[in-house]
Amino acid sequence: MAKFIIEGKQKLSGEIEVYGAKNAAIKMIAGACLFSGKTVLENVPDILDIQKIITILEFFGVRFLRNGHTLEIDTSNMTLGDPDPKLVGEIRASIVLVGPLLSRFGKVKIPHPGGCMIGSRPIDLHIKAFKDLSVKVIENNKFYQFEAPVNLSENKTSQVNFKKISVTGTENILLYASNLENQDTIITNAAIEPEVIDLIKFLKTAGAEIAVSKREISIKGKKNLSPVRYRVMPDRIEAGTFAILAAATKSDLKILNLVPNHLESLLDKFKIMGIQFEINDNSLYIKTSPDFQAISINTGEYPDFPTDLQPPMGILLTQAQGRSMIKENIFDHRLEYLKQLEKMGAKIDLIDTKQAEITGPAKLSGIKLDSLDLRAGATLLIAGLVASGTTEINNAENIDRGYEKIEDRLKRIGAKIKRVL
Ligand code: EPZ
């Protein structure tokens, strides 16, 4: 287990680049399995979660060649494999292999997918959605088996309605239904996160016919989708994490290679708080704002405030003037990191598992902590940079899941951080 050691209170400045979106790239790697041949993805971050999905797919005979941020995926010799259940259990995104593998092989058996420990993470919405498309699903306590229907009547239209919006649920059905010849599928109450829209663009480049209108996605299934070359969108959560890092450490920082529209809900909050920023095409300049005001955060599905930026926002609110509120509406247990900030000196009132009040500004002091999950880990990194003294963060691997070589990038803007193995 690696750890990060941070000396806080350094002045940060300069430029930091945002890499490709984890939660888009993983789904496109899965999408490449829909067709036989070589797909090339550009702007793929070199992070643990991507390495894990690659290792899982190697069990299926998929071959990968990485050159920097360009990833070639060769599915020519793909067969139905039997992935290591432990590995599948480590990443939630392994669930999106079901759609492409089912489409390509007619059946797939997969162990229960895992991911960050941020609340119960069932897959009932995925199962119900596949059943709506006449897929047979057999469950036991170790794995799920999905079997595609053999004789589908021509030109059928099926409807999948999500009773609760699910990002990977929507993506799984998109991946499966795009490749169903002569079958039309309409998804209602669909997720429209930018990563879902980027996956749709990827599939359309491969020849799929997909239309989006508000929360309804219509798919005209076709065979003969073909391998493509595609550039993954910038990671909006990484961009937001860096913007919050700049504001929390009261730094002047230019964040490069992002899509400003994707950060609208965060920047709206910055405006109200009095955090100064400037947008230029695909960069965001956060200016030193000595004082900023408390605010309420309510997480929700896009375009509302993203749950993945809620923990980084939590550390920012410890430095705001007055009483802030956080309400987490997506996951049941995503406020645990607040207990750690409290140990550093933050003034937190944890009302229940989904709501908290934060009073600022608080003086934070460095201590030894464990990174609980990916975004909570990134939050502790920011906390360590805000705090006085030394902060030690165990389980650096949780942060490596989603942020590539984070210590090198932070060092380049003036942070004092080292990784200890
Ligand atoms: C995706 O998770 C992301 N992961 C998460 O990113 C992100 O936090 C989340 O969407 C919300 O934006 C990937 O894309 C790999 P959901 P996903 O299905 O798809 C409940 C990160 O830090 N639900 O949209 O798993 C669920 O419990 C992360 O990068 C069911 O009840 O999230 C939650 O309350 C972590 N049954 C809500 O729906 C199901 O079958 C939304 O979850 C599925 C989900």
Side-chain angles (χ1 to χ4, degrees), residues 23 27 92 121-125 166-168 308 330 375:
N23 286 341
K27 323 307 169 45
R92 172 73 176 175
R121 303 194 68 187
I123 61 161
D124 57 310
L125 297 172
S166 167
V167 172
T168 45
D308 294 344
I330 304 291
R375 308 300 170 193

Side-chain angles (χ1 to χ4, degrees), residues 52-53 65 79 95 98 133 156 170 183 188 194-195 227 234 284 296 329-330 344 355 378:
K52 283 181 183 164
I53 202 88
L65 195 66
T79 51
I95 187 67
V98 172
L133 298 181
K156 195 175 156 209
T170 302
Q183 302 294 312
T188 50
E195 294 77 11
L284 172 68
S296 289
N329 296 304
I330 304 291
M344 296 178 83
Q355 285 186 85

Side-chain angles (χ1 to χ4, degrees), residues 122-373:
I123 61 161
D124 57 310
L125 297 172
H126 296 248
I127 292 174
K128 156 84 170 54
F130 278 114
K131 283 184 174 168
D132 287 346
L133 298 181
S134 309
V135 171
K136 192 168 150 196
V137 186
I138 302 163
E139 300 175 48
N140 72 22
N141 56 359
K142 287 215 179 99
F143 61 83
Y144 300 91
Q145 189 161 321
F146 296 79
E147 283 171 28
V150 237
N151 293 316
L152 280 171
S153 46
E154 293 258 313
N155 304 321
K156 195 175 156 209
T157 302
S158 308
Q159 183 138 358
V160 173
N161 177 52
F162 282 96
K163 71 175 193 301
K164 188 171 180 182
I165 296 170
S166 167
V167 172
T168 45
T170 302
E171 291 167 335
N172 232 343
I173 297 305
L174 265 169
L175 287 161
Y176 176 62
S178 297
N179 207 26
L180 279 183
E181 197 170 22
N182 296 325
Q183 302 294 312
D184 292 352
T185 306
I186 297 169
I187 310 177
T188 50
N189 204 27
I192 47 163
E193 266 59 10
E195 294 77 11
V196 178
I197 303 300
D198 208 34
L199 177 65
I200 291 175
K201 283 191 195 153
F202 164 85
L203 289 168
K204 283 171 94 168
T205 313
E209 264 190 69
I210 304 170
V212 185
S213 167
K214 297 192 176 143
R215 286 208 177 271
E216 185 171 297
I217 302 179
S218 313
I219 306 152
K220 220 170 174 34
K222 323 206 270 200
K223 270 276 175 254
N224 304 328
L225 301 188
S226 48
V228 286
R229 187 174 186 104
Y230 189 83
R231 187 169 178 83
V232 179
M233 64 175 260
D235 197 310
R236 69 190 167 107
I237 304 303
E238 181 167 280
T241 306
F242 293 158
I244 290 171
L245 162 76
T249 54
K250 303 184 175 173
S251 306
D252 265 339
L253 200 63
K254 197 165 178 191
I255 305 158
L256 308 178
N257 184 29
L258 49 76
V259 181
N261 282 347
H262 291 170
L263 292 180
E264 211 169 301
S265 60
L266 175 68
L267 297 179
D268 282 349
K269 296 289 177 197
F270 275 15
K271 272 185 213 153
I272 303 168
M273 294 170 82
I275 294 169
Q276 309 285 315
F277 63 88
E278 212 176 275
I279 296 170
N280 284 309
D281 300 330
N282 61 350
S283 70
L284 172 68
Y285 174 42
I286 306 285
K287 301 175 185 175
T288 306
S289 308
D291 292 319
F292 44 85
Q293 301 306 313
I295 202 166
S296 289
I297 300 295
N298 248 299
T299 64
E301 295 88 4
Y302 190 85
D304 287 346
F305 196 90
T307 171
D308 294 344
L309 282 182
Q310 178 270 110
M313 198 65 183
I315 167 68
L316 181 64
L317 297 182
T318 68
Q319 302 308 301
Q321 305 274 343
R323 280 215 308 254
S324 296
M325 279 292 299
I326 290 186
K327 181 134 195 295
E328 169 57 54
N329 296 304
I330 304 291
F331 292 110
D332 298 337
H333 289 282
R334 218 178 190 180
L335 296 180
E336 286 297 299
Y337 72 96
L338 287 173
K339 295 179 185 163
Q340 297 178 304
L341 296 184
E342 202 169 21
K343 286 185 193 153
M344 296 178 83
K347 294 179 195 112
I348 312 273
D349 180 10
L350 209 48
I351 299 162
D352 55 40
T353 60
K354 298 179 92 172
Q355 285 186 85
E357 193 178 89
I358 301 176
T359 308
K363 283 202 168 69
L364 304 187
S365 310
I367 51 168
K368 285 188 189 177
L369 298 159
D370 284 329
S371 81
L372 299 172
D373 63 67

